[in-house]
Coordinates of all heavy atoms in Angstrom, one line a residue:
S182 N -10.6 -24.1 -16.0 CA -11.3 -24.5 -14.8 C -10.4 -25.4 -13.8 O -11.0 -26.0 -12.9 CB -12.6 -25.3 -15.1 OG -13.4 -24.5 -15.9
A183 N -9.2 -25.5 -14.1 CA -8.3 -26.3 -13.2 C -6.9 -25.7 -13.1 O -6.4 -25.1 -14.1 CB -8.2 -27.7 -13.7
L184 N -6.3 -25.8 -11.9 CA -5.0 -25.2 -11.7 C -4.2 -26.3 -10.9 O -4.6 -26.7 -9.8 CB -5.2 -23.9 -10.9 CG -3.9 -23.2 -10.5 CD1 -3.2 -22.6 -11.7 CD2 -4.2 -22.1 -9.5
E185 N -3.1 -26.6 -11.5 CA -2.2 -27.6 -10.8 C -1.0 -26.8 -10.2 O -0.4 -26.0 -10.9 CB -1.6 -28.6 -11.8 CG -2.7 -29.6 -12.3 CD -2.1 -30.6 -13.3 OE1 -0.9 -30.9 -13.1 OE2 -2.9 -31.2 -14.1
V186 N -0.7 -27.1 -8.9 CA 0.3 -26.4 -8.2 C 1.1 -27.4 -7.4 O 0.6 -28.5 -7.0 CB -0.2 -25.2 -7.3 CG1 -0.9 -24.2 -8.1 CG2 -1.1 -25.8 -6.2
E187 N 2.3 -27.0 -7.0 CA 3.2 -27.8 -6.1 C 3.4 -26.9 -4.9 O 3.9 -25.8 -5.0 CB 4.5 -28.1 -6.8 CG 5.4 -29.0 -5.9 CD 6.7 -29.2 -6.6 OE1 7.7 -28.4 -6.5 OE2 6.9 -30.2 -7.3
A188 N 3.1 -27.5 -3.8 CA 3.3 -26.8 -2.5 C 4.8 -26.8 -2.2 O 5.6 -27.5 -2.8 CB 2.6 -27.5 -1.4
V189 N 5.3 -26.0 -1.3 CA 6.7 -25.8 -1.0 C 7.3 -27.1 -0.4 O 8.5 -27.3 -0.4 CB 7.0 -24.6 -0.1 CG1 6.7 -23.3 -0.8 CG2 6.1 -24.7 1.2
N190 N 6.4 -28.0 0.2 CA 6.9 -29.3 0.7 C 6.9 -30.4 -0.4 O 7.2 -31.5 0.0 CB 6.1 -29.7 1.9 CG 4.6 -30.0 1.5 OD1 4.2 -29.8 0.4 ND2 3.8 -30.4 2.5
G191 N 6.6 -30.1 -1.6 CA 6.6 -31.0 -2.7 C 5.3 -31.7 -3.0 O 5.1 -32.4 -4.0
D192 N 4.3 -31.5 -2.1 CA 2.9 -32.1 -2.4 C 2.3 -31.3 -3.6 O 2.5 -30.1 -3.8 CB 2.0 -31.9 -1.2 CG 2.4 -32.7 0.0 OD1 3.2 -33.7 -0.2 OD2 2.0 -32.5 1.1
S193 N 1.5 -32.1 -4.4 CA 0.9 -31.5 -5.5 C -0.6 -31.4 -5.3 O -1.2 -32.3 -4.7 CB 1.1 -32.4 -6.8 OG 2.5 -32.4 -7.1
F194 N -1.2 -30.4 -5.8 CA -2.6 -30.1 -5.7 C -3.2 -29.7 -7.0 O -2.6 -28.9 -7.8 CB -2.9 -29.1 -4.6 CG -2.5 -29.4 -3.3 CD1 -1.2 -29.0 -2.8 CD2 -3.3 -30.1 -2.4 CE1 -0.8 -29.4 -1.5 CE2 -2.9 -30.5 -1.1 CZ -1.7 -30.1 -0.7
E195 N -4.4 -30.2 -7.3 CA -5.2 -29.7 -8.5 C -6.5 -29.1 -8.0 O -7.3 -29.8 -7.4 CB -5.5 -30.8 -9.4 CG -6.3 -30.4 -10.6 CD -6.6 -31.5 -11.6 OE1 -5.6 -32.3 -12.0 OE2 -7.8 -31.7 -12.0
F196 N -6.6 -27.7 -8.2 CA -7.8 -27.0 -7.8 C -8.7 -26.9 -9.0 O -8.4 -26.4 -10.0 CB -7.4 -25.6 -7.3 CG -6.6 -25.6 -6.1 CD1 -5.2 -25.4 -6.1 CD2 -7.3 -25.8 -4.8 CE1 -4.5 -25.5 -4.9 CE2 -6.5 -25.7 -3.6 CZ -5.2 -25.6 -3.7
N197 N -9.9 -27.5 -8.8 CA -11.0 -27.3 -9.8 C -11.8 -26.0 -9.3 O -12.5 -26.1 -8.3 CB -11.9 -28.5 -9.8 CG -11.1 -29.7 -10.3 OD1 -10.4 -29.7 -11.3 ND2 -11.2 -30.8 -9.6
Y198 N -11.6 -24.9 -10.0 CA -12.2 -23.6 -9.6 C -13.3 -23.2 -10.5 O -13.5 -23.6 -11.7 CB -11.1 -22.6 -9.5 CG -10.5 -22.3 -10.9 CD1 -11.0 -21.4 -11.8 CD2 -9.3 -22.9 -11.3 CE1 -10.5 -21.2 -13.0 CE2 -8.7 -22.7 -12.5 CZ -9.3 -21.8 -13.4 OH -8.7 -21.6 -14.6
K199 N -14.1 -22.3 -10.0 CA -15.1 -21.6 -10.8 C -14.7 -20.2 -11.2 O -15.1 -19.7 -12.2 CB -16.5 -21.5 -10.0 CG -17.0 -22.9 -9.6 CD -18.1 -22.8 -8.6 CE -18.6 -24.2 -8.2 NZ -19.6 -24.1 -7.1
R200 N -13.8 -19.6 -10.3 CA -13.2 -18.3 -10.6 C -11.8 -18.3 -10.1 O -11.5 -18.8 -9.1 CB -14.0 -17.1 -10.0 CG -15.4 -16.9 -10.5 CD -15.4 -16.4 -11.9 NE -16.8 -16.1 -12.3 CZ -17.6 -17.1 -12.9 NH1 -17.0 -18.3 -13.2 NH2 -18.8 -16.8 -13.2
L201 N -10.9 -17.7 -11.0 CA -9.5 -17.6 -10.7 C -9.1 -16.1 -10.7 O -9.4 -15.4 -11.7 CB -8.7 -18.4 -11.7 CG -7.1 -18.3 -11.6 CD1 -6.7 -18.9 -10.3 CD2 -6.5 -19.1 -12.8
V202 N -8.6 -15.6 -9.6 CA -8.3 -14.2 -9.4 C -6.8 -14.0 -9.4 O -6.1 -14.5 -8.5 CB -8.9 -13.7 -8.1 CG1 -8.7 -12.2 -8.0 CG2 -10.5 -14.0 -8.1
F203 N -6.3 -13.2 -10.4 CA -4.9 -12.8 -10.4 C -4.8 -11.5 -9.6 O -5.3 -10.4 -10.0 CB -4.4 -12.6 -11.8 CG -4.4 -13.8 -12.7 CD1 -4.4 -13.7 -14.0 CD2 -4.4 -15.1 -12.1 CE1 -4.4 -14.8 -14.9 CE2 -4.4 -16.2 -12.9 CZ -4.4 -16.1 -14.3
M204 N -4.1 -11.5 -8.4 CA -3.9 -10.4 -7.6 C -2.5 -10.3 -7.1 O -2.3 -10.1 -5.9 CB -5.0 -10.4 -6.5 CG -5.3 -9.0 -5.9 SD -6.7 -9.0 -4.8 CE -8.1 -9.0 -5.9
A205 N -1.6 -10.6 -8.0 CA -0.2 -10.7 -7.7 C 0.7 -9.5 -8.1 O 1.9 -9.6 -8.1 CB 0.4 -12.0 -8.4
G206 N 0.0 -8.3 -8.2 CA 0.8 -7.1 -8.5 C 1.6 -7.3 -9.8 O 1.1 -7.6 -10.9
Q207 N 2.9 -7.1 -9.7 CA 3.8 -7.2 -10.9 C 3.7 -8.6 -11.5 O 3.9 -8.8 -12.7 CB 5.2 -6.8 -10.5 CG 6.1 -6.7 -11.7 CD 7.5 -6.2 -11.3 OE1 7.6 -5.5 -10.2 NE2 8.5 -6.3 -12.1
G208 N 3.4 -9.6 -10.6 CA 3.4 -11.0 -11.1 C 2.2 -11.3 -11.9 O 2.1 -12.4 -12.5
N209 N 1.2 -10.4 -12.0 CA 0.0 -10.6 -12.9 C 0.4 -10.8 -14.3 O -0.2 -11.6 -15.1 CB -1.0 -9.5 -12.8 CG -1.8 -9.6 -11.5 OD1 -1.8 -10.5 -10.8 ND2 -2.7 -8.6 -11.3
E210 N 1.5 -10.2 -14.8 CA 1.9 -10.3 -16.2 C 2.2 -11.7 -16.5 O 1.8 -12.3 -17.5 CB 3.0 -9.3 -16.5 CG 3.4 -9.2 -18.0 CD 4.3 -8.1 -18.3 OE1 5.4 -8.1 -17.8 OE2 3.8 -7.1 -18.9
D211 N 3.0 -12.4 -15.6 CA 3.4 -13.8 -15.9 C 2.2 -14.7 -15.8 O 2.1 -15.7 -16.6 CB 4.4 -14.3 -14.8 CG 5.8 -13.6 -15.1 OD1 6.1 -13.2 -16.2 OD2 6.6 -13.6 -14.2
L212 N 1.3 -14.4 -14.9 CA 0.1 -15.2 -14.8 C -0.8 -15.1 -16.0 O -1.4 -16.1 -16.5 CB -0.8 -14.8 -13.5 CG -0.1 -15.1 -12.2 CD1 -0.9 -14.5 -11.1 CD2 0.0 -16.6 -12.0
L213 N -0.9 -13.9 -16.5 CA -1.7 -13.7 -17.8 C -1.1 -14.4 -19.0 O -1.8 -15.0 -19.8 CB -1.8 -12.2 -18.1 CG -2.7 -11.4 -17.2 CD1 -2.5 -9.9 -17.3 CD2 -4.2 -11.7 -17.5
N214 N 0.2 -14.4 -19.0 CA 0.9 -15.1 -20.0 C 0.7 -16.7 -19.9 O 0.5 -17.4 -20.9 CB 2.4 -14.8 -20.0 CG 2.7 -13.4 -20.5 OD1 2.0 -12.8 -21.3 ND2 3.8 -12.9 -20.1
A215 N 0.8 -17.1 -18.7 CA 0.5 -18.6 -18.4 C -0.9 -19.0 -18.8 O -1.1 -20.1 -19.3 CB 0.9 -18.9 -17.0
A216 N -1.8 -18.0 -18.6 CA -3.2 -18.3 -19.0 C -3.5 -18.1 -20.4 O -4.6 -18.2 -20.9 CB -4.1 -17.5 -18.1
E217 N -2.5 -17.6 -21.2 CA -2.6 -17.3 -22.6 C -3.6 -16.3 -22.9 O -4.4 -16.3 -23.8 CB -2.9 -18.6 -23.5 CG -1.8 -19.6 -23.3 CD -2.0 -20.9 -24.1 OE1 -3.2 -21.0 -24.7 OE2 -1.1 -21.7 -24.3
L218 N -3.6 -15.3 -22.0 CA -4.5 -14.1 -22.2 C -3.7 -12.9 -22.6 O -2.5 -12.7 -22.1 CB -5.2 -13.7 -20.9 CG -6.2 -14.7 -20.3 CD1 -6.7 -14.3 -19.0 CD2 -7.4 -14.9 -21.3
R219 N -4.1 -12.1 -23.6 CA -3.4 -11.0 -24.1 C -3.5 -9.7 -23.3 O -2.7 -8.8 -23.5 CB -3.8 -10.7 -25.6 CG -3.5 -11.8 -26.6 CD -3.9 -11.4 -27.9 NE -3.5 -12.5 -28.9 CZ -3.7 -12.3 -30.2 NH1 -4.2 -11.2 -30.7 NH2 -3.3 -13.3 -31.0

Side-chain angles (χ1 to χ4, degrees):
S182 301
L184 180 68
E185 294 182 22
V186 300
E187 181 183 86
V189 292
N190 65 355
D192 290 346
S193 295
F194 298 92
E195 179 179 310
F196 293 99
N197 298 310
Y198 62 82
K199 299 169 186 175
R200 295 290 181 269
L201 176 60
V202 183
F203 296 160
M204 206 170 277
Q207 188 172 344
N209 277 359
E210 188 166 68
D211 288 339
L212 293 171
L213 287 165
N214 289 334
E217 299 182 347
L218 293 174
R219 294 186 178 182

